[in-house]
């Protein structure tokens, strides 16, 4: 491909609304262009990267035994009502009315559609196990599309679904997809961390996320450097805390203190001149529409996923002020655990406190010197809060760290959530009708592209990993009007193309500085510079995007030398992938 014939609209300036590095550089490098909020066109360079990701995904999914199909993006909402997700998915579900006043949805995911398909086509245990996948455009009415192609309303996803006869088959299907994901991300050349995850609106009882560390990532990863425990914040557990010290004098009663107009923890602490860590806040939720309360330390955040699991609820929402006052007989901002009338769960960090400041269940009243276990019962003490930097690891007790990350993949064990709801059954070897056991496995194709840029960039532009780069080699003839320079460039171009190398030639009549800046911006791994001076000296300049300096090769044997460098790099990448596979297999065998 010749640059002069391609559509590569590079930009010198950073777009005003771009903040994340991937957003900035994909726009500046002319790889994507925004059409509207949460909707992007992939220009030729960006589309090439997208297709390279798709090729890797497809090869590894096929190698893992999955079969590809393609399902409609248009979905009858009746399927969503059958599964019970029509309400829980909420406003993210894009809906429209077509002829005959039929309401349909633009598919944000395809659990319902694939379950409907399989319940009609799979009837016997002899047809199981089976894993089906597609690469399809999805739609979600994302209220805050941001960070370019990281969070959009229209996006490309690889979603796969396994159907099994029993838990043993499910575990095997899950393991196969888990390993396929590792191979995909290894081959893409992006750094990733596998974390325990919350299933969220998808459902299911076991899941893992594949995260790419990034300071602009919207997900929070909690990790233990000592034992490699990792989980997203929604799922992260907290290790055992030190036991509370003995209270010096349990006969001293708590003290009622007037706190006029002080409703927030910060306001109360400022007024009483105490630290937030010495207080506790009582929060009221509706768990499956039933009021429940949780008590957590004032400087901590409640983890709604943990709260939902504690009360064995399917849905959980924060109660509004009117509901709070109705079920507690106390105003919002002054709630406390003493004599609370609704089910109460207490976070372990509160139970470990010798005394605590809490709400007094009356307007403008708080209580000091309240003793957990004496002044309110410790009947349901569980982990209810978000893990934070410095918390003990639940596996080994070491201090955990917190990082941000970008989710690029997610695997779930769904069980029978959808098959039971939608009547997807099969006959086992005894003729009994059994619900299909399902797994779900998703990869954000666009997100891999963005995450690769987040993980690979510098001040000058993108640094693509070789497997994802739009072109592997960029040939830059500095004086394309010079016959000798152009002939040398074309000779290399032909040699590389015949060897199966993706090559772009910058044949523009531009100053060297412009060409070099654009080369760094679009991030092609290997840049070859051919100049009049170099040819006179019998050399051609070669520079890897990851190297600070260029090196010279003989013009007479440049093609062979450069192909050898590319082959060595490819072999190194392949060797790394193999080493990681061996390490995973060894860890699994322990």
């Amino acid at each position: 491909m010749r640059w002069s014939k391609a559509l590569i609209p590079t930009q010198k300036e950073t777009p005003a609304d771009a903040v994340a590095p991937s957003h900035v550089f994909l726009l500046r490098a002319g790889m994507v262009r925004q059409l509207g909020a949460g909707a992007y066109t992939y220009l030729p360079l960006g589309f090439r990267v997208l297709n390279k990701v798709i090729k890797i995904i497809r090869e590894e999914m096929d190698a893992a035994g999955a079969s590809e199909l393609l399902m409609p993006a248009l979905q009858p909402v009746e399927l969503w009502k059958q599964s019970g997700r029509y309400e829980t998915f909420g406003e993210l579900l894009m809906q429209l009315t077509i002829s005959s006043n039929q309401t349909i949805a633009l598919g944000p995911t395809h659990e319902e559609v694939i379950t409907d398909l399989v319940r009609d086509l799979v009837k016997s245990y002899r047809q199981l196990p089976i894993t089906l996948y597609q690469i399809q455009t999805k739609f979600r009415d994302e209220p805050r599309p941001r960070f370019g192609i990281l969070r959009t309303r229209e996006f490309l996803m690889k979603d796969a679904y396994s159907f099994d006869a029993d838990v043993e088959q499910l575990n095997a299907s899950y393991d196969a997809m888990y390993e396929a994901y590792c191979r995909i991300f290894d081959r893409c050349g992006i750094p990733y961390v596998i974390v325990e995850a919350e299933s969220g609106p998808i459902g299911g009882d076991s899941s893992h996320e594949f995260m790419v560390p990034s300071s602009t990532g919207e997900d929070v990863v909690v990790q233990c450097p000592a034992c490699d425990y990792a989980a997203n914040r929604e799922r992260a557990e907290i290790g055992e805390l030190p036991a509370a010290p003995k209270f010096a004098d349990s006969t001293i009663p708590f003290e009622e203190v007037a706190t006029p107009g002080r409703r927030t923890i910060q306001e109360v602490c400022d007024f009483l001149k105490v630290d937030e860590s010495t207080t506790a806040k009582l929060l009221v939720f509706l768990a499956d529409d039933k009021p429940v309360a949780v008590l957590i330390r004032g400087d901590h955040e409640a983890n709604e996923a943990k709260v939902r699991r504690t009360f064995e609820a399917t849905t959980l929402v924060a109660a509004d002020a009117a509901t709070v006052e109705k079920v507690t007989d106390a105003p919002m901002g002054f709630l406390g655990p003493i004599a609370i009338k609704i089910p109460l769960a207490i976070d372990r960090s509160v139970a470990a406190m010798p005394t605590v400041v809490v709400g007094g269940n009356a307007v403008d009243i708080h209580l000091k010197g309240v003793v957990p276990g004496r002044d309110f019962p410790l009947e349901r003490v569980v982990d209810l809060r978000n893990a934070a930097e410095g918390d003990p690891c639940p596996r080994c007790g070491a201090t955990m760290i917190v990082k941000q990350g970008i989710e690029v993949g997610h695997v779930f064990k769904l069980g029978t959530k959808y098959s039971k709801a939608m009547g997807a059954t099969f006959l086992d070897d005894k003729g009994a009708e059994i619900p299909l056991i399902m797994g779900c496995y998703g990869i954000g194709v666009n997100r891999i592209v963005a995450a690769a840029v987040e993980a690979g960039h510098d001040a000058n532009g993108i640094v693509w990993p070789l497997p994802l780069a739009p072109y592997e080699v960029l040939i830059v003839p500095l004086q394309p009007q010079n016959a000798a320079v152009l002939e040398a460039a074309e000779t290399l171009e032909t040699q590389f193309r015949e060897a199966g190398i993706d090559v772009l030639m910058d044949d523009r009549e531009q100053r060297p500085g412009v060409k070099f800046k654009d080369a760094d911006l679009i991030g092609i791994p290997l840049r070859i510079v051919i100049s009049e001076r170099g040819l006179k000296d019998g050399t051609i300049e070669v520079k890897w995007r990851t190297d600070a300096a260029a090196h010279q090769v003989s013009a007479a044997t440049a093609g062979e030398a450069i192909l050898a460098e590319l082959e060595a790099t490819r072999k190194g990448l392949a060797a790394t992938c193999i080493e990681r596979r061996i390490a995973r297999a060894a860890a699994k065998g322990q």
Side-chain angles (χ1 to χ4, degrees):
M1 173 58 69
R2 302 296 175 91
W3 196 305
S4 62
K5 302 297 183 182
L7 181 62
I8 309 176
T10 58
Q11 305 175 41
K12 292 181 180 180
E13 303 299 327
T14 298
D17 61 342
V19 177
S22 60
H23 193 192
V24 171
F25 288 126
L26 287 171
L27 286 172
R28 286 191 55 210
M31 297 198 177
V32 301
R33 187 173 181 86
Q34 185 172 356
L35 176 64
Y40 284 81
T41 296
Y42 284 78
L43 299 175
L45 286 185
F47 193 54
R48 289 182 67 88
V49 177
L50 201 66
N51 278 326
K52 289 195 173 183
V53 173
I54 291 170
K55 182 176 183 291
I56 291 171
I57 291 172
R58 184 170 279 129
E59 287 174 355
E60 292 300 337
M61 292 300 295
D62 291 348
S67 298
E68 187 173 8
L69 46 63
L70 182 63
M71 292 176 278
L74 299 178
Q75 303 181 6
V77 295
E78 287 73 21
L79 289 180
W80 285 76
K81 292 176 181 178
Q82 286 179 30
S83 71
R85 282 208 300 175
Y86 184 72
E87 291 78 16
T88 57
F89 220 85
E91 295 181 356
L92 288 176
L93 191 66
M94 287 188 179
Q95 301 181 60
L96 62 152
T97 302
I98 59 175
S99 57
S100 303
N101 289 322
Q102 181 184 1
T103 302
I104 60 174
L106 292 174
T109 182
H110 277 69
E111 283 78 16
E112 284 78 6
V113 176
I114 196 72
T115 304
D116 175 67
L117 178 73
V118 171
R119 71 180 171 183
D120 289 341
L121 300 179
V122 174
K123 300 297 184 183
S124 168
Y125 74 95
R126 292 186 178 90
Q127 295 171 271
L128 302 173
I130 187 170
T131 299
L132 305 169
Y133 81 96
Q134 67 169 351
I135 298 171
Q136 165 72 296
T137 301
K138 311 285 185 174
F139 303 88
R140 296 185 186 182
D141 194 3
E142 173 59 52
R144 295 181 63 218
R146 57 194 304 220
F147 295 153
I149 62 172
L150 274 174
R151 182 175 287 276
T152 55
R153 292 188 172 120
E154 177 182 337
F155 54 96
L156 197 62
M157 178 184 284
K158 188 288 302 176
D159 48 325
Y161 307 92
S162 62
F163 295 86
D164 300 289
D166 52 38
V167 173
E168 185 178 356
Q169 282 189 358
L170 170 63
N171 290 339
S173 297
Y174 188 89
D175 289 347
M177 290 297 101
Y178 184 103
E179 174 60 21
Y181 275 39
C182 292
R183 295 186 182 207
I184 287 167
F185 299 127
D186 284 346
R187 286 184 60 190
C188 285
I190 56 175
Y192 66 95
V193 177
I194 305 171
V195 304
E196 295 180 14
E198 188 68 22
S199 296
I202 296 291
D205 58 2
S206 178
S207 69
H208 291 86
E209 285 177 342
F210 293 76
M211 295 275 198
V212 175
S214 169
S215 60
T216 57
E218 293 187 287
D219 290 287
V220 177
V221 178
V222 182
Q223 291 179 274
C224 175
C227 72
D228 294 330
Y229 169 79
N232 70 17
R233 177 164 274 175
E234 288 181 310
R235 188 74 187 184
E237 303 169 16
I238 300 168
E240 290 295 328
L241 298 167
K246 296 293 184 180
F247 189 63
D249 188 347
S250 61
T251 63
I252 300 176
F254 59 78
E255 176 187 359
E256 187 176 291
V257 181
T259 52
R262 274 68 173 188
R263 292 177 176 271
T264 69
I265 288 292
Q266 187 62 59
E267 290 171 345
V268 171
C269 290
D270 290 345
F271 184 75
L272 297 179
K273 294 181 173 54
V274 297
D275 191 85
E276 288 186 19
S277 63
T278 66
T279 69
K281 52 192 174 187
L282 190 133
L283 307 174
V284 178
F285 296 91
L286 295 178
D288 291 341
D289 297 323
K290 297 177 182 178
V292 297
V294 299
L295 188 68
I296 65 170
R297 218 168 71 181
D299 59 334
H300 290 161
E301 297 178 10
N303 183 304
E304 293 192 8
K306 293 179 181 180
V307 175
R308 177 178 54 79
R309 290 196 296 271
T310 295
F311 291 101
E312 299 180 345
T314 302
T315 62
L316 186 83
V317 295
D320 58 32
T323 301
V324 168
E325 192 154 358
K326 179 181 177 181
V327 301
T328 65
D329 294 326
M332 187 87 83
F334 301 97
L335 301 175
I338 296 178
I340 192 77
K341 298 176 182 178
I342 58 178
L344 172 66
I346 300 162
D347 186 68
R348 293 194 312 231
S349 60
V350 175
M353 299 169 71
T355 64
V356 62
V357 176
V358 297
N361 290 324
V363 176
D364 294 341
I365 296 296
H366 279 80
L367 308 176
K368 293 177 65 176
V370 172
V371 179
R374 183 196 72 178
D375 298 320
F376 59 89
L378 300 176
E379 295 175 351
R380 183 182 285 171
V381 177
V382 288
D383 176 13
L384 293 170
R385 66 178 176 89
N386 284 336
E389 187 97 15
D391 279 331
C393 172
R395 300 290 187 266
C396 70
T399 299
M400 294 193 293
I401 59 175
V402 173
K403 294 182 177 180
Q404 290 173 275
I406 298 167
E407 180 190 342
V408 291
H410 204 159
V411 293
F412 308 82
K413 290 181 181 178
L414 293 176
T416 58
K417 172 182 170 67
Y418 294 93
S419 56
K420 281 185 176 179
M422 299 180 67
T425 61
F426 70 99
L427 296 179
D428 67 8
D429 58 353
K430 297 180 178 61
E433 192 173 22
I434 306 294
L436 289 157
I437 300 177
M438 293 176 60
C440 171
Y441 318 94
I443 286 179
V445 182
N446 319 68
R447 282 178 158 255
I448 292 177
V449 175
V453 180
E454 293 288 334
H457 69 271
D458 58 22
N460 297 317
I462 302 169
V463 184
W464 288 112
L466 185 63
L468 300 190
Y471 293 93
E472 295 165 289
V473 172
L474 175 65
I475 299 175
V476 184
L478 292 187
Q479 300 88 15
Q481 73 281 3
N482 181 290
V485 170
L486 185 59
E487 182 182 358
E490 289 177 338
T491 299
L492 286 178
E493 180 187 31
T494 300
Q495 189 172 356
F496 294 156
R497 191 169 57 243
E498 290 177 350
I501 304 299
D502 292 329
V503 57
L504 174 66
M505 184 190 293
D506 188 353
D507 60 335
R508 297 175 297 169
E509 293 282 354
Q510 287 282 5
R511 299 187 309 275
V514 172
K515 291 189 174 189
F516 293 161
K517 283 185 177 297
D518 278 349
D520 283 345
L521 179 59
I522 66 175
I524 292 176
L526 189 57
R527 185 185 78 193
I528 300 167
V529 178
I530 304 172
S531 66
E532 294 177 2
R533 177 181 297 178
L535 291 181
K536 287 180 182 178
D537 295 338
T539 61
I540 287 175
E541 180 182 286
V542 177
K543 183 181 183 299
W544 287 92
R545 181 65 177 85
T546 51
D547 292 346
H551 62 277
Q552 306 295 321
V553 297
S554 169
T557 57
E560 293 79 4
I562 294 167
L563 285 173
E565 287 191 36
L566 281 166
E567 182 61 20
T569 300
R570 285 175 170 173
K571 285 183 176 179
L573 294 172
T576 299
C577 292
I578 292 171
E579 288 170 4
R580 290 176 178 174
R581 291 176 198 173
I582 293 171
R584 287 193 298 270
K588 189 176 178 181
Q590 289 178 350

